[in-house]
């Protein structure tokens, strides 16, 4: 080592200089808060890359990143954590590797998953804060409801062209994301779901024109708001920071609460059950609920609707499926017998389930056989009250090394 560098290293040691020493010069900064924070990042696209780059530089150590997609060449112009050699890999895995390149001591759990179908509410409850980098309203709406249900703050970003918006939503303190939705948003949301809940094939999303510069601006605001929220500082809660890139106009807009909003539902209490979804049936869960709520009758509510059966209106044939809503495409939705007999596609009717109310055909079904994700939360409701049950035995399968130790006994 040249002499000047040796001297510099000695001075650095004397001054207690490390990687984060400049951050600690900010008077309110608490690196320990950042290091202990558990962060769920949904979306590993243009925004997710900028959000995660910032979280790595800031020293966040516990990250779960969720994304369903695989890397295409066109992603490389807006994704600082991807390399040209990553084309074809899952975005979640590549971004986790990129994160660890910047911060080797961090634990990053990649999940190649659809947040609406594959992520249990236990994952949301695990997180101290949720950051999203998404390109569609459906997923935002789902995250909003999930975050409210388990009382976790979430930060949203949206970009298009060289414009963008960042916003913060705190459960219990409306307005929330759903409150901000107008008629146009609902029209787009409703168009995404066909009348009988089968998946639309043509999905024009993911092709929004964006630049690495606007994702850097909005991703930067998102990460900074996360730091402020974790330090208890004022944030953009219920507000949006709007950046218009052509003339560099930016302003903060205050959203208004919608009194009819469907998202404002928070579980008062969640009990962690140290069992796996494969080890407990719906009736056993209902029995536990009856005991805890001291009630004769309870209903078990699912975190989201599931497809129970496909019923043919022509021949009456029923197929039991237990699959997530959105997981069945139109080809699979056809009645094989009738479609073959008439050479016309005969689309079957989708019957969904929202929960369990003592039906004998469901009683002995284990929770992993419902088409719901692992590490989910079930709400058991009596006439008077409700309780959430987190199937915490699944945590290790979902979170790996980030899984907490379970202490609650059955
Ligand atoms: Zn709302
Ligand atoms: Zn049929």
């Amino acid at each position: 080592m040249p002499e000047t560098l040796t001297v510099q290293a000695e001075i650095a040691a004397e001054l207690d200089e490390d990687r984060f020493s400049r951050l600690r010069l900010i008077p309110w900064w608490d690196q320990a808060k950042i290091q202990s924070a558990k962060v769920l990042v949904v979306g590993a696209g243009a925004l997710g890359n900028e959000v995660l780059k910032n979280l790595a530089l800031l020293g966040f150590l516990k990250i779960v990143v969720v994304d369903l997609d695989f890397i295409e060449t066109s992603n490389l112009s807006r994704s600082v954590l991807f390399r040209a050699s990553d084309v074809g890999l899952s975005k979640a895995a590549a971004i986790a590797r990129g994160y660890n390149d910047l911060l080797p001591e961090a634990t990053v759990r990649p999940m190649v998953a659809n947040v609406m179908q594959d992520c249990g509410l236990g994952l949301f409850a695990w997180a101290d804060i949720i950051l999203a980098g998404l390109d569609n309203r459906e997923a935002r709406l789902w995250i909003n409801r999930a975050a409210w249900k388990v009382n976790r703050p979430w930060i949203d970003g949206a970009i298009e062209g060289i414009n963008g918006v960042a916003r913060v939503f705190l459960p219990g303190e409306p307005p929330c994301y759903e409150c901000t939705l107008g008629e146009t948003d609902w029209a787009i949301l409703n168009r995404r779901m066909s009348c009988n809940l089968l998946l639309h094939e043509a999905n024009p999303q993911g092709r929004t024109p964006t630049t690495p510069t606007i994702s850097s601006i909005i991703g930067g605001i998102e990460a900074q708001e996360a730091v402020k929220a974790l330090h208890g500082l004022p944030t953009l809660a219920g507000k949006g920071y709007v950046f218009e890139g052509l003339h560099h106009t930016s302003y903060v807009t205050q959203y208004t609460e919608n009194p009819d909003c469907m998202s404002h539902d928070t579980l008062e209490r969640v009990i962690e059950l140290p069992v796996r979804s494969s080890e407990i049936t719906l009736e056993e869960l209902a029995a536990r609920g009856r005991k805890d709520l001291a009630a004769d009758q309870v209903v078990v509510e699912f975190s989201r609707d599931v497809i129970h059966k496909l019923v043919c209106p022509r021949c009456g044939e029923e197929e039991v499926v237990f699959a997530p809503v959105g997981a069945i495409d139109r080809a699979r939705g056809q009645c094989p017998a009738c479609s073959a007999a008439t050479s016309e596609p005969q689309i079957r009717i989708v019957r969904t389930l929202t929960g369990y109310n003592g039906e004998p055909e469901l009683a002995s079904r284990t929770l992993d056989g419902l088409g719901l994700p692992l590490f989910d939360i079930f709400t058991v409701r009596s006439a008077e009250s409700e309780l959430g049950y987190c199937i915490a035995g699944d945590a290790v399968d979902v979170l790996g090394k980030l899984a907490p130790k379970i202490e609650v006994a059955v």
Side-chain angles (χ1 to χ4, degrees), residues 8-247:
Q8 278 173 7
E10 281 169 9
I11 292 170
E14 275 173 31
L15 293 174
D16 188 26
E17 296 243 312
D18 64 22
R19 187 182 180 118
F20 304 111
S21 52
R22 291 298 185 282
L23 303 179
R24 280 198 301 269
L25 294 179
I26 297 170
W28 48 264
W29 198 271
D30 184 349
Q31 196 64 34
K33 278 203 168 86
I34 286 173
Q35 290 178 328
S36 63
K38 300 187 283 288
V39 186
L40 171 60
V41 178
V42 186
L47 273 174
N49 264 269
E50 287 298 324
V51 165
L52 283 160
K53 175 207 77 182
N54 285 314
L55 297 183
L57 295 177
L58 291 164
F60 283 85
L61 293 175
K62 298 172 185 173
I63 308 279
V64 174
V65 56
V66 176
D67 198 298
L68 188 64
D69 287 339
F70 291 80
I71 299 171
E72 298 172 17
T73 306
S74 64
N75 301 136
L76 297 176
S77 62
R78 288 151 303 136
S79 307
V80 67
L81 297 176
F82 298 161
R83 297 291 167 264
S85 55
D86 292 336
V87 171
L89 299 182
S90 78
K91 288 183 178 177
I95 214 165
R97 193 240 25 241
Y99 196 101
N100 276 134
D101 286 348
L102 291 178
L103 191 65
E105 59 268 44
T107 306
V108 188
R109 179 80 170 172
M111 286 180 69
V112 182
N114 176 323
V115 71
M116 294 179 284
Q117 297 172 9
D118 308 323
C119 293
L121 291 182
L123 178 62
F124 290 84
W126 165 84
D128 295 310
I129 195 159
I130 301 148
L131 288 95
L134 295 159
D135 62 1
N136 72 87
R137 292 168 179 78
E138 269 177 302
R140 287 193 184 96
L141 183 57
W142 166 252
I143 289 171
N144 187 63
R145 289 182 179 171
W148 268 74
K149 199 92 181 162
V150 300
N151 195 23
R152 293 294 182 274
W154 80 281
I155 301 176
D156 183 39
I159 51 175
E160 183 160 6
I162 57 169
N163 308 317
V165 58
R167 41 200 178 179
V168 178
F169 300 108
L170 303 181
E173 294 178 37
C176 74
Y177 171 73
E178 186 168 344
C179 292
T180 72
L181 296 178
E183 270 177 43
T184 317
D185 300 296
W186 282 113
I188 292 167
L189 273 163
N190 291 332
R191 205 185 314 141
R192 287 279 301 131
M193 295 298 284
S194 67
C195 54
N196 72 355
L197 298 174
L198 293 178
L199 185 71
H200 272 312
E201 277 81 14
N203 180 3
Q205 288 164 355
R207 308 195 68 135
T208 312
T210 62
T211 62
T213 43
I214 190 64
S215 57
S216 181
I217 292 164
I218 298 301
I221 301 281
E222 285 192 71
Q224 188 155 287
E225 288 297 291
V227 169
K228 285 161 59 187
L230 290 165
H231 282 79
L233 294 170
T235 65
L236 283 169
K239 298 194 275 280
Y241 170 80
V242 182
F243 182 87
E244 183 273 310
L246 201 56
H247 300 103

